[in-house]
Amino acid sequence: MINLGTIGTNWITERMLEAATTIGAYRLQAVYSRHSATAAQFAHDHAGQRSYTNLTDFFNDEQVDTVYIASPNSLHFQQILQALRHHKNVIVEKPAVLSPYQLQMILDEQARQPDLQVLEAARNVHMPAFKAVEQQLATWDHVEGAEFNFSQYSSRYDQVLAGELPNVFNRKFGGGVLTDLGIYPIYDAVALFGVPQQQFYYPTWIKTGVDGKGTARLEYDGFTVILNFSKISFSNQASEIYGGRQLITIDNAGEFTQADYFTGKEQQQLSPAYRDNPMIPEMTDFAALLEQPNTRIAKERGNRERQLMKQVNQVLDRLAASAGISYPQ
Amino acid sequence: MINLGTIGTNWITERMLEAATTIGAYRLQAVYSRHSATAAQFAHDHAGQRSYTNLTDFFNDEQVDTVYIASPNSLHFQQILQALRHHKNVIVEKPAVLSPYQLQMILDEQARQPDLQVLEAARNVHMPAFKAVEQQLATWDHVEGAEFNFSQYSSRYDQVLAGELPNVFNRKFGGGVLTDLGIYPIYDAVALFGVPQQQFYYPTWIKTGVDGKGTARLEYDGFTVILNFSKISFSNQASEIYGGRQLITIDNAGEFTQADYFTGKEQQQLSPAYRDNPMIPEMTDFAALLEQPNTRIAKERGNRERQLMKQVNQVLDRLAASAGISYPQ
C-alpha cells in the first residue's frame, strides 16, 4: 500500500483520490489545507486518517510515504523540496516548477535519496492511446510533422471581459494558457519526439497582460510540430501526426482518450475511446514505481520520468522566453 | 453568352467547362494547345468551335471575348497581358502571378480598358459555405483567431522519394506547396480578415529544395491566423474560426463545401454540404460580371475581385520572402 498525503483540496485532488481508490494501491493517510475545517472535511469525505493545517506537521507524519501536490503552481517548489527532505515520494501536478534552476535543485535532492521518486502528473502521456501511438510511431521510418491541439473556453474569461482579474489570468500568479493548457501538448510532443532544436511561442495577449491563446512551433530535424491551445476560445479539432501516406489522429492532445490510424482510405483504431477516470492510467503507472522502488525496471522508469520532466521544463521555459514571458518564482 | 477561349487542356479546364456548361452562360469558342492533335481532340470533346497551336492566332479569334488560363503558372503573366491587349476578359487559375510587379502591370493594363475583367479563379471564396461564413462573422464583435488547413498527399511525392524530379516539386518551375495548396487558405484568410500586419512562413523542405509542407502565421490586430498545408502528408483536420464561446468549423479550407456554427454544446449548420462541381459557384459569379460588365454592381464586384487578388498576391509574396523563397519570374 502507498500511503498518501495530499496538498490541495480542489477537484483535481478529488479525481486523483477517486482514481487511487479504484486502483486499490493507495490509502489516504493525511490531508493538508490552510483551513482547519476544509482539511477535516476533505479528510472525512475521502476516508483520510488525519488532517493538518501546519505544513511541517503534515510533512512529519510518519505514516505518509508519498505526497501528492496540487497546490497553486508557485508553491510547488518549496513543497516538493520539503517533501523530499522529509523522505517522501512526490507526485506533483504539472507544471512541477517553471524554473530550470528550481527543477535542478529538486533533481539534486532526489539524487541524494535515489530510493525516492519525483513524478510529474502528466496524465495524457500515460493514457493507453498514448502508448498505442508510441508503438505505431516506432514502426514509421519518417515523420512529416504533427499538430497537437488543446483548447477549452474558461468561464473565468467572462470575468476578465467584465473587468475582473481572476487568478488564472493574473500575471502575478503566473497565469496564462501556456502553463495551464499548453503543458499538455508540450508533454505529448516531447514524450514522442524529444527536445526540439528550436522552439517559438506566439501568444495572443488578453487585456490582463497574459497569454489567453497561443501557438507554439517546435522545430525538429526535418519536421515541425505545431501546438495550439486556448482558454479564450474552444475548438473541435483533433490532433494529428503526419507520416506521408500514413496519419495518426488523436481525439484531443490534452485528453488522449482515443487514437486512430489512417492510410489512404483505410482506417484502423489504435486505441478505443477511454471512458474511465483519466487519472487511473498515470496513478497505475506511478503505483508500480512506488510499490517496488528498488527493482531495475522501477529505477529505469523513474529515470525516464525525471528526464522527461526536465526536457518538458526546458521546452516550457524556452517557449515562454521566446515570447518575452517570465513567471514569478 | 460568354464566348470562351481556353489555354490548358488538363483536368481543371475540363472541370471548368463542365461547370460552364451546367451554368449555361458560356460557350466554348476556341481551344489553344501547343500540340495540334491535343487541341483538336480537346475542342472536339468539349464542343469547341476552333482549335489553335499558335497563341497569336488564338488571341486574334474575334469570337472569343473571355480567355480562361490554366497553363503552368510561369506562363500566366504573358498570357494575361496578351489577352487583355487583344481586348479579352481573363479568368486565370490561382496564383495568377507571383510577382507584385507583374500583377501591377496587369492591373494597369486592365485600368486602361475598364470594361474588361481580370478574375482569379479562387473557387473556395465563391462557395456558398464561404458566403455563409462571411455573414456569420459579420455578426461577431470579436475574433480570437482561426486555423485553415488544406493538405493532400501528392502521388508525385512518391517520385521524389524514388529520386525523380517532377515539375510540382521542381524549384526551376516554381514548385512547392505554398503556391500550389497554400494559396487556398491564404485566399480564405485575406478574404475574411484582410491583409495581416505581419506574415511568416515556416516550410518543411524536401530534398528537391522546395517546400513540401508548411505552416503560415498571419498576425492581425489582436489575433493570429494559422494556415497549414502539405503535399507530402494528408490530414483529416477541419478548419476553424474562433470567437470566444462561438466557433465556426469548415470542412476543409480548400474545398469549403460545408460550414457549421457551434456555441457551447449547440450546433447549427451554416451551409449544407455542397456536392456539385465546385467550380460552378465561381463561374456563376464570374458570369454575372462578364455578361453585364457596365452595371454599377458589376464594376464594384470587379474592383473587389482585383483588390482581393492584389492583397493575396502581396501576402503570398511576403510569406515566400519570409522563408527565403524566390520564384522564377
Side-chain angles (χ1 to χ4, degrees):
Chain A
M1 269 298 179
I2 299 152
N3 293 288
L4 281 177
T6 59
I7 303 179
T9 53
N10 65 5
W11 64 271
I12 198 161
T13 308
E14 298 199 324
R15 290 287 271 171
M16 182 281 295
L17 287 172
E18 201 180 289
T21 304
T22 304
I23 297 164
Y26 298 87
R27 177 168 45 204
L28 179 60
Q29 286 287 355
V31 168
Y32 165 80
S33 170
R34 279 177 304 164
H35 305 291
S36 164
T38 309
Q41 183 67 47
F42 195 86
H44 175 265
D45 289 350
H46 299 89
Q49 305 298 305
R50 291 166 300 285
S51 64
Y52 297 94
T53 56
N54 179 297
L55 207 50
T56 306
D57 294 345
F58 169 80
F59 284 122
N60 281 325
D61 188 317
E62 300 224 331
Q63 300 305 310
V64 171
D65 53 55
T66 300
V67 176
Y68 171 81
I69 300 174
S71 54
N73 292 344
S74 57
L75 304 178
H76 286 182
F77 173 61
Q78 287 298 341
Q79 291 169 349
I80 297 167
L81 265 193
Q82 278 205 62
L84 290 172
R85 286 172 183 164
H86 286 81
H87 202 69
K88 297 182 193 312
N89 299 296
V90 171
I91 301 172
V92 58
E93 275 305 325
K94 67 212 152 303
V97 292
L98 297 176
S99 150
Y101 307 102
Q102 290 181 344
L103 187 69
Q104 191 54 48
M105 288 174 74
I106 289 165
L107 295 175
D108 287 346
E109 186 61 42
Q110 188 278 333
R112 282 189 283 271
Q113 305 183 74
D115 57 321
L116 292 181
Q117 296 288 353
V118 183
L119 302 165
E120 194 172 24
R123 59 184 163 84
N124 43 323
V125 302
H126 292 272
M127 296 295 282
F130 191 90
K131 293 172 184 183
V133 167
E134 277 185 316
Q135 282 172 20
Q136 174 62 33
L137 276 180
T139 71
W140 289 18
D141 58 3
H142 57 95
V143 167
E144 266 80 41
E147 181 179 69
F148 295 112
N149 298 307
F150 190 35
S151 292
Q152 293 178 332
Y153 186 86
S154 166
S155 56
R156 305 290 173 83
Y157 189 54
D158 292 337
Q159 298 174 21
V160 172
L161 294 175
E164 297 170 39
L165 184 54
N167 289 354
V168 290
F169 290 115
N170 189 336
R171 283 184 70 169
K172 225 173 63 187
F173 294 108
V177 69
L178 179 63
T179 55
D180 190 4
L181 298 187
I183 184 79
Y184 290 84
I186 292 170
Y187 246 100
D188 294 330
V190 174
L192 291 173
F193 305 118
V195 173
Q197 297 174 335
Q198 289 181 289
Q199 55 272 296
F200 304 93
Y201 180 43
Y202 311 112
T204 299
W205 305 107
I206 62 170
K207 62 181 178 179
T208 64
V210 304
D211 50 321
K213 181 175 183 300
T215 295
R217 175 168 64 95
L218 310 184
E219 292 294 343
Y220 291 90
D221 184 15
F223 64 95
T224 302
V225 175
I226 299 291
L227 318 178
N228 296 304
F229 33 86
S230 176
K231 290 173 73 71
I232 63 171
S233 57
F234 72 106
S235 166
N236 294 340
Q237 289 295 58
S239 294
E240 295 191 328
I241 303 170
Y242 307 107
R245 290 183 180 275
Q246 301 183 95
L247 172 70
I248 293 170
T249 65
I250 300 120
D251 61 327
N252 178 303
E255 305 296 345
F256 239 99
T257 57
Q258 184 176 338
D260 294 275
Y261 172 76
F262 297 80
T263 174
K265 291 287 163 201
E266 282 174 60
Q267 179 176 0
Q268 177 196 331
Q269 195 173 61
L270 292 181
S271 187
Y274 183 92
R275 305 202 186 281
D276 220 328
N277 180 326
M279 296 178 80
I280 289 176
E282 63 175 351
M283 291 301 285
T284 303
D285 285 351
F286 294 163
L289 291 184
L290 296 169
E291 284 183 320
Q292 301 204 298
N294 293 314
T295 61
R296 187 181 54 81
I297 196 154
K299 291 210 172 292
E300 279 176 14
R301 285 194 188 157
N303 277 333
R304 277 217 305 277
E305 290 284 343
R306 288 189 297 279
Q307 191 195 8
L308 181 57
M309 191 188 322
K310 188 170 174 176
Q311 291 174 333
V312 166
N313 174 273
Q314 181 184 90
V315 173
L316 185 60
D317 179 65
R318 290 178 175 176
L319 284 172
S322 79
I325 297 172
S326 61
Y327 297 108
Q329 303 296 342
Chain B
M1 269 298 180
I2 299 152
N3 293 288
L4 281 178
T6 59
I7 303 179
T9 53
N10 66 5
W11 64 272
I12 198 161
T13 307
E14 297 199 324
R15 290 288 272 170
M16 182 280 296
L17 288 172
E18 202 180 288
T21 304
T22 304
I23 297 164
Y26 298 87
R27 176 168 45 204
L28 179 60
Q29 287 286 355
V31 168
Y32 165 80
S33 170
R34 279 176 304 165
H35 305 291
S36 163
T38 309
Q41 183 68 47
F42 195 86
H44 174 265
D45 289 350
H46 299 89
Q49 304 298 306
R50 291 166 300 286
S51 64
Y52 297 94
T53 56
N54 179 298
L55 207 50
T56 306
D57 294 345
F58 169 80
F59 283 123
N60 281 326
D61 188 317
E62 299 223 332
Q63 300 304 310
V64 171
D65 54 55
T66 300
V67 175
Y68 171 81
I69 301 174
S71 54
N73 292 343
S74 57
L75 303 178
H76 286 182
F77 173 61
Q78 287 299 341
Q79 291 169 349
I80 297 168
L81 265 193
Q82 279 204 61
L84 291 172
R85 286 171 183 165
H86 286 81
H87 202 69
K88 297 182 193 312
N89 299 296
V90 171
I91 300 172
V92 57
E93 275 304 326
K94 67 213 150 304
V97 292
L98 297 176
S99 150
Y101 307 103
Q102 290 181 345
L103 187 69
Q104 191 54 49
M105 288 174 74
I106 289 165
L107 295 175
D108 287 346
E109 186 61 43
Q110 188 278 333
R112 282 189 283 272
Q113 305 183 74
D115 57 321
L116 292 181
Q117 296 288 352
V118 183
L119 302 164
E120 194 172 24
R123 59 184 164 84
N124 43 324
V125 302
H126 292 272
M127 295 295 282
F130 190 90
K131 293 172 183 182
V133 167
E134 277 185 316
Q135 282 172 20
Q136 174 62 33
L137 275 180
T139 70
W140 289 18
D141 58 3
H142 57 95
V143 167
E144 265 80 41
E147 181 180 69
F148 294 112
N149 298 307
F150 190 35
S151 292
Q152 293 178 332
Y153 186 87
S154 166
S155 56
R156 305 291 172 84
Y157 189 54
D158 292 337
Q159 298 174 21
V160 172
L161 294 175
E164 297 170 40
L165 184 53
N167 289 354
V168 289
F169 290 115
N170 189 337
R171 283 184 70 169
K172 224 172 64 187
F173 294 108
V177 69
L178 179 62
T179 55
D180 190 4
L181 297 188
I183 184 80
Y184 289 84
I186 292 170
Y187 246 101
D188 293 331
V190 174
L192 291 174
F193 305 119
V195 173
Q197 297 174 335
Q198 290 182 288
Q199 55 272 296
F200 304 93
Y201 180 43
Y202 311 112
T204 298
W205 305 107
I206 62 170
K207 62 180 177 178
T208 64
V210 304
D211 50 321
K213 181 176 184 298
T215 295
R217 175 168 64 95
L218 311 184
E219 292 294 343
Y220 291 90
D221 184 15
F223 64 95
T224 302
V225 175
I226 299 290
L227 318 178
N228 296 304
F229 33 86
S230 176
K231 290 173 73 70
I232 63 171
S233 57
F234 71 106
S235 166
N236 294 340
Q237 290 294 58
S239 294
E240 295 191 329
I241 303 170
Y242 308 107
R245 289 182 180 275
Q246 301 184 95
L247 172 70
I248 293 170
T249 65
I250 300 119
D251 61 328
N252 178 304
E255 305 296 345
F256 239 100
T257 56
Q258 184 176 337
D260 293 275
Y261 171 77
F262 298 80
T263 174
K265 291 289 163 198
E266 282 174 60
Q267 178 176 359
Q268 177 196 331
Q269 195 173 61
L270 292 181
S271 188
Y274 183 92
R275 304 202 186 282
D276 220 328
N277 180 326
M279 296 178 80
I280 289 177
E282 63 175 351
M283 291 301 285
T284 303
D285 285 351
F286 294 163
L289 291 184
L290 296 169
E291 284 183 320
Q292 301 204 298
N294 293 315
T295 60
R296 187 181 55 82
I297 196 154
K299 292 212 171 290
E300 279 176 15
R301 285 194 188 158
N303 277 333
R304 277 217 305 278
E305 289 284 343
R306 289 189 297 279
Q307 190 195 11
L308 181 57
M309 191 188 322
K310 188 171 174 176
Q311 291 174 334
V312 166
N313 174 274
Q314 181 184 91
V315 173
L316 185 60
D317 179 65
R318 290 178 175 176
L319 283 172
S322 79
I325 298 173
S326 62
Y327 297 108
Q329 303 296 343

